[in-house]
Amino acid sequence: MYRSNKKMLSISTCVLCATVLFGCSKGTETTNTTASTTAPAATSAATAAAKETKAPDAAKKTITITYRDDGTGENGTLFKWFKDAAASYPNKDVIIKQTPIQASEGDYFAKIALALKSKDTAPDIVTEDTFMLNSDASAGLLSPLDDKVKTWADWTNGSFIEAMKKGVTAADGKIYGVPYNTDSRGLWYNKQIFKQAGLPEDWKPKTWDEVLSAARTIKEKAAKDVVPFWMNMGKATGEATSMQTYEMLLYGTGERLYDDATSKWTVKSQGIMDALTFVDTINKEKLGPPLSKVLNGQAGNSSAREYLPKGKLGISLDGSWIAGNYLPNGAAPWPEYKDVLGFAPMPTSKGQAPGSITLAGGWALSVPANAQHKDEAWDFIKYALNKENSQKLVIAGGNITVRADVAKDPGYTQMPFNAISTDYLKNAEFRPARDKYPEVSTQIQAMVESVATGTSPADAMKKYQQDVTRIVGEDKVSVK
């Protein structure tokens, strides 16, 4: 998620993209009364501003919004949502310009960090994965919103789920964004494949051994082109590898990445060995997809949009949001998904309390410190994330809402898997809100990929211990 193997090329690409205001992707300009049009890919902020002053609507202000385009372009959920919100936005003196970045998650974070450092390249609104928010806030790249939210009725009257505000609160206690979704993780499985393999269609594994047993049964009894089990295992899928794979496993052993009581990172333990051994078993027994499929940045899209809908994947350790792909306006429409798929809780390693585990994350809209139209950006955020627009977004994207009022709405609750995905949050864990987490996460990705490609769990853990110790300092690590 963070780095590709071609590091120098990635850095050069990031600099170029930032210099031309994300010239590697298409900018889309939308007024709130007209259809969107595609802006030239290599238009810089300065050039755009110059053109704006010469245009008939020179008095209008252009608010730029940057988010990650995962390859769906104008068919993407965020593209359509921002377009619709812009079209209905009451302030006719504002033009909303979408400046998406087409990249893997890791490359997106790298490009955003670079772009936010300059007033020439920083957008007015940026989507922040909540795990990166503390790091970007600590680096001075985001504007605190405390003065804004305290006068916003939706924020103070209980409309937002209180616990979700923690994800946008940095270590300094200030708020740096407004969350627009959250998520849970579990085991998606194909009921038809399970039936063919003689496995229960109402599957609720109690231990990791039961998960592995099901994967082995699928390998033995299902069609030869069916992949038994899929989970992210590469550096290219970045945080999806850290959070959806490693941390789901590690936390399932009862251990945590960071010990709040001692303020130390655990770098050597039985829990780490158990998590890596699970990854090792999947690969040694050939229960997973070919490495060529799982070690590239599109691995998550491949499993969710290709393998599952085509009946070529038995079990996938993934997030609640993937159902959004299958909606009529999704990236991979699949009307039968609600009947074919099941979503089982990920069990703890040996079935120990609380029995299952999930990691919760989410995304937020933030205002960069170098944004040129902060007040106008905030006004649009409030409008975009009101109840009506928030509901449209989470339903279209298949995500879990962060608003208490939306959670009670029949339009939300009737969506397949929303109730069960929300229920999994009762055992939810969150990533450490620590400045060093993004750097530690990068080492997690490297460790998991090394095991996937043949390194022993013991050797991979040893290198992880060395690398994390170098990053955080010897006085900030613990060995169990």
Side-chain angles (χ1 to χ4, degrees), residues 353-405:
S356 66
I357 196 75
T358 197
L359 266 288
W363 287 76
L365 296 184
S366 297
V367 178
N370 283 319
Q372 298 191 27
H373 305 298
K374 294 182 181 180
D375 289 339
E376 290 79 8
W378 170 247
D379 287 340
F380 183 74
I381 287 175
K382 287 192 297 181
Y383 178 75
L385 297 182
N386 64 22
K387 180 186 176 184
E388 180 182 1
N389 288 324
S390 291
Q391 181 167 325
K392 289 179 181 178
L393 178 60
V394 292
I395 289 178
N399 295 114
I400 302 175
T401 185
V402 297
R403 290 188 62 119
D405 47 10

Side-chain angles (χ1 to χ4, degrees), residues 358-480:
T358 197
L359 266 288
W363 287 76
L365 296 184
S366 297
V367 178
N370 283 319
Q372 298 191 27
H373 305 298
K374 294 182 181 180
D375 289 339
E376 290 79 8
W378 170 247
D379 287 340
F380 183 74
I381 287 175
K382 287 192 297 181
Y383 178 75
L385 297 182
N386 64 22
K387 180 186 176 184
E388 180 182 1
N389 288 324
S390 291
Q391 181 167 325
K392 289 179 181 178
L393 178 60
V394 292
I395 289 178
N399 295 114
I400 302 175
T401 185
V402 297
R403 290 188 62 119
D405 47 10
V406 172
K408 299 174 184 176
D409 193 285
Y412 172 80
T413 57
Q414 70 184 6
M415 291 295 294
F417 302 109
N418 270 6
I420 190 171
S421 297
T422 304
D423 184 60
Y424 289 170
L425 291 174
K426 67 179 183 294
N427 292 330
E429 294 285 347
F430 299 86
R431 292 161 290 185
R434 302 292 166 180
D435 293 348
K436 296 295 184 182
Y437 174 77
E439 294 177 75
V440 173
S441 179
T442 302
Q443 301 310 318
I444 289 172
Q445 297 152 28
M447 175 173 62
V448 172
E449 181 169 310
S450 70
V451 172
T453 54
T455 302
S456 71
D459 287 344
M461 181 172 64
K462 182 178 180 180
K463 187 173 189 310
Y464 174 74
Q465 179 180 354
Q466 294 170 345
D467 291 337
V468 174
T469 300
R470 170 178 47 81
I471 291 169
V472 304
E474 288 191 18
D475 60 331
K476 295 295 183 181
V477 298
S478 68
V479 173
K480 296 182 178 180

Side-chain angles (χ1 to χ4, degrees), residues 192-199 213-224 226 228:
Q192 295 175 345
I193 293 175
F194 267 53
K195 184 177 182 179
Q196 294 168 5
L199 293 166
S213 177
R216 291 169 181 137
T217 300
I218 292 170
K219 181 182 179 182
E220 177 185 353
K221 297 183 178 182
K224 296 300 182 183
V226 171

Side-chain angles (χ1 to χ4, degrees), residues 13 16 37 149 295 304 325:
T13 303
L16 177 60
T37 57
V149 295
L295 297 185
N325 289 298

